Amino acid sequence: MALLAPGSTIGILGGGQLGRMLGVAAAQLGFKVHSYAPERESVAAQVAAHHVQAAWDDEPRLAAFAAACDAVTIEFENVPVDTVRFLSGHVAVRPGAQALEIAQDRLVEKRFVAGHGGRPAPFAAVPDRAALDSALVEIGAPAILKTLRMGYDGKGQARLIAAADADSAWDAIDRHAAILEGFVTFAHEFSVILVRGIDGETRFWDSSVNVHKNGILATSSLPPPPIIRDQQDEARALMARIADDLDYVGVLTGEFFATDDGPVFNEMAPRVHNSGHWTIEGAVTSQFENHIRAVAGLPLGSTATTALPVTMRNLIGADIATVPALLADGACHVHHYGKTEVRAGRKLGHATWVGTAPA
């Protein structure tokens, strides 16, 4: 496959901040960006040469979009698989539909990872309310009930402290088909973020320790505790097997729990990831640049960390009002996503410190 020449157009499916940061990275490498999303507000479109606002199943608009692009990628994992399959008949889409199909269904994902030697939390399928009672007998409580599809940042989830919570948990997820996961006793949460090129070359960034609040990532930081460093290689090997099996191209992320028994797989994301935002300033080549390099068929860049410590802090909801104070800190790198509506739980930006701790 020929390399994409400077001036080529890379299409991005999705209009969020990940697409925005991919667009910036693409421009730095000399590429044009053409974004496609159904939503009226698209912060990715703010940095794109062209933007299409259209439905995911609008085949004439999709065909025209494909014709305008030399390659297409995704910025979030809930792009419909049928959309990617349709586009794949017209233009190269990287990563492909198979990775999306697996990541979009938690039950399929858990079984797929287990088949590659990974260890997910204990789980059971919950297609209906009656199955939840059976699953609780099998898995026990406390547990987490998660919708099979569309959940992220704590959405589509309900905790069950005891079996008596079954009715309220079922109602909390709007009675959708789900999966019940047993609680995992863990020391820390961490990510494995890799990039795989068209030629199969695979590189990893250092694994950060991740702290969540209310189901949303709050901070990612390096260096991680020793238990994560000790379990990083095993988790990396699993994600490399998955990437090879999928013939994956681009950035792929796996989230893990560090436990006394080794790394436990939580979930995967076939895209650049919030826990890798620190790489913009903290690595030789960021996750965004390396994803664009992979999609374009270019050589991958070094994933080495440039200096320690590193802290990435999400700016969520009202936190965005702290931007002027953060900018007054000469060691702080601020990223504002350009979103206009401020609401609780919404990611509006992030701040990163490299080589020093936050003030």
Side-chain angles (χ1 to χ4, degrees):
M1 173 252 165
L3 305 181
L4 293 191
S8 298
T9 297
I10 296 176
I12 297 177
L13 299 174
Q17 66 265 19
L18 300 181
R20 180 187 183 93
M21 288 181 273
L22 284 170
V24 170
Q28 289 174 334
L29 292 174
F31 298 114
K32 299 185 181 75
V33 167
H34 194 153
S35 59
Y36 187 111
E39 296 81 15
R40 180 187 304 177
E41 181 186 33
S42 169
V43 296
Q46 295 171 6
V47 301
H50 303 284
H51 175 66
V52 177
Q53 181 191 349
W56 291 124
D57 59 357
D58 189 335
E59 292 190 352
R61 301 292 295 278
L62 286 169
F65 172 73
C69 298
D70 298 291
V72 170
T73 190
I74 63 171
E75 68 103 35
F76 82 125
E77 66 266 45
N78 288 322
V79 174
V81 173
D82 287 346
T83 298
V84 174
R85 288 205 175 105
F86 176 83
L87 287 170
S88 297
H90 298 75
V91 66
V93 183
R94 306 183 179 112
Q98 188 181 6
L100 274 185
E101 193 167 27
I102 292 166
Q104 286 178 5
D105 187 308
R106 286 190 169 99
L107 185 60
V108 171
E109 180 185 68
K110 302 284 188 188
R111 290 171 174 166
F112 177 79
V113 168
H116 285 76
R119 291 184 303 137
F123 66 93
V126 183
D128 51 39
R129 174 62 185 84
L132 178 54
D133 292 331
S134 300
L136 281 164
V137 172
E138 177 185 347
I139 302 298
I144 303 178
L145 186 65
K146 299 180 179 180
T147 55
L148 290 185
R149 296 179 175 273
M150 298 300 288
Y152 63 95
D153 286 347
K155 299 178 178 68
Q157 301 184 16
R159 291 193 175 197
L160 296 90
I161 303 304
D165 298 328
D167 284 335
S168 60
W170 185 242
D171 289 341
I173 65 164
D174 294 327
R175 307 180 182 185
H176 290 299
I179 183 172
L180 186 72
E181 296 181 11
F183 266 25
V184 175
T185 300
F186 62 92
H188 300 283
E189 297 177 74
F190 70 99
S191 300
V192 169
I193 305 178
L194 65 80
V195 61
R196 186 177 186 274
I198 290 174
D199 60 358
E201 181 186 3
T202 301
R203 298 187 178 193
F204 299 87
W205 285 270
D206 289 334
S207 287
S208 61
V209 57
N210 301 326
V211 176
H212 291 79
K213 295 181 180 178
N214 300 318
I216 302 174
L217 182 68
T219 62
S220 294
S221 56
L222 295 164
I227 188 172
I228 291 177
R229 292 198 297 271
D230 292 344
Q231 297 183 13
Q232 179 176 264
D233 286 349
E234 182 180 342
R236 283 181 173 182
L238 170 64
M239 295 308 298
R241 291 194 297 273
I242 289 171
D244 287 343
D245 184 56
L246 295 173
D247 196 18
Y248 193 91
V249 175
V251 169
L252 175 66
T253 305
E255 296 182 48
F256 291 85
F257 300 115
T259 78
D260 290 343
D261 298 321
V264 172
F265 173 87
N266 182 25
E267 61 185 25
M268 74 178 198
R271 55 169 172 80
V272 289
H273 196 261
N274 193 176
S275 65
H277 289 357
W278 66 268
T279 64
I280 298 173
E281 290 87 19
V284 175
T285 311
S286 77
Q287 63 168 347
F288 300 100
E289 180 179 334
N290 257 341
H291 184 84
I292 294 297
R293 288 186 185 215
V295 169
L298 295 169
L300 301 180
S302 169
T303 53
T305 302
T306 56
L308 292 172
V310 177
T311 301
M312 187 286 299
R313 179 188 299 160
N314 271 330
L315 303 177
I316 300 168
D319 292 345
I320 200 68
T322 65
V323 163
L326 291 170
L327 289 171
D329 178 352
C332 182
H333 303 272
V334 176
H335 295 257
H336 193 300
Y337 301 152
K339 297 179 181 180
T340 56
E341 182 184 355
V342 177
R343 63 175 184 265
R346 194 180 197 202
K347 295 174 183 174
L348 299 175
H350 72 267
T352 305
W353 292 261
V354 178
T356 184

